[in-house]
Amino acid sequence: MKNIVILISGRGSNMQAIVSAAIPNVRIAAVLSNRADAAGLAWAAERGIATESLNHKDFDSRFAFDTAMMEKIDAYTPDLVVLAGFMRILTPQFCAHYEGRLINIHPSLLPSFTGLHTHERAIEAGCRVAGCSIHFVTAELDCGPIIAQGVVPVLDGDNADTLAARVLAVEHKLFPQAVADFAAGRLKIEGNRVINQQRNAAGDQNLLA
């Protein structure tokens, strides 16, 4: 059984997708947030999952906050820490502490459009497709080895909201599978590439919606 700690900052829709997937051999040990009013905390608590919050504004540095957050996370002895809409730039110390067991979802096809406002930027750039990427986290923002990507078309007349909704639907399918693949020991990092033996054998499993 793998212990998973999920970090959120808002409603945590990807966290909800992971919990609802009831992944074999996975225990959602806790859901933590940097905001006490994050709606996802109440959702998780209603399902009997331990929840905690830690306000980053109460700390005088990013390092101090990350150190305190690491203490809370480590109390649950996680095998994997999942960033599901956790809107904080993490310190190198945090990333190093969870190296190889810290994953994030980003709403673009990395390495394109790192950072914020991804959907607006994809539309402005005239992209014909957009999507999401799940990756291992490193100290360099949105640049860790990619586990999986999901692709959607950018339609004529799309705006940031309509494109975001289409991408989010794919995120909710892709993220639980990535967690399941990690828990099953199917993921291996070689350089900057993630090898998934089962999926490679079955062919390209990325989602097109």
Side-chain angles (χ1 to χ4, degrees):
M1 185 67 69
K2 300 293 186 182
N3 272 349
I4 311 294
V5 172
I6 304 177
L7 307 187
I8 64 172
S9 290
R11 63 194 175 100
S13 68
N14 272 304
M15 174 272 295
Q16 294 179 29
I18 292 169
V19 172
S20 299
I23 301 166
N25 299 315
V26 164
R27 172 179 174 264
I28 308 302
V31 175
L32 278 59
S33 180
N34 62 313
R35 293 180 49 190
D37 63 348
L41 292 178
W43 187 94
E46 289 171 359
R47 285 151 183 82
I49 300 170
T51 62
E52 296 192 51
S53 64
L54 196 64
N55 190 343
H56 59 275
K57 295 180 180 179
D58 293 338
F59 296 84
D60 59 8
S61 70
R62 195 177 295 275
F63 175 75
F65 170 76
D66 278 8
T67 299
M69 183 61 83
M70 283 189 287
E71 291 178 358
K72 284 190 174 291
I73 293 169
D74 287 349
Y76 297 97
T77 60
D79 297 286
L80 178 67
V81 178
V82 176
L83 307 179
F86 187 61
M87 303 303 290
R88 297 285 300 163
I89 295 176
L90 301 169
T91 59
Q93 292 85 355
F94 188 102
C95 297
H97 184 69
Y98 298 108
E99 183 178 2
R101 56 191 179 113
L102 178 64
I103 65 174
N104 178 54
I105 192 160
H106 182 75
S108 79
L109 295 174
L110 294 173
S112 297
F113 309 123
T114 61
L116 301 175
H117 310 300
T118 58
H119 306 302
E120 294 93 328
R121 291 157 62 197
I123 292 170
E124 289 171 1
C127 294
R128 304 305 300 176
V129 296
C132 59
S133 304
I134 301 166
H135 64 95
F136 285 101
V137 176
T138 61
E140 188 175 358
L141 181 67
D142 298 331
C143 288
I146 295 169
I147 298 168
Q149 292 181 302
V151 182
V152 302
V154 180
L155 304 178
D156 295 340
D158 258 339
N159 57 40
D161 291 337
T162 58
L163 181 55
R166 196 176 306 117
V167 171
L168 190 63
V170 174
E171 292 181 25
H172 291 168
K173 297 176 183 177
L174 205 63
F175 215 176
Q177 184 59 60
V179 172
D181 287 341
F182 181 94
R186 291 191 283 262
L187 305 181
K188 180 181 178 182
I189 301 174
E190 293 186 359
N192 201 43
R193 187 172 181 84
V194 178
I195 306 300
N196 185 326
Q197 297 292 348
Q198 182 183 39
R199 291 187 170 273
N200 287 350
D204 186 1
Q205 297 295 314
N206 289 345
L207 295 172
L208 178 62

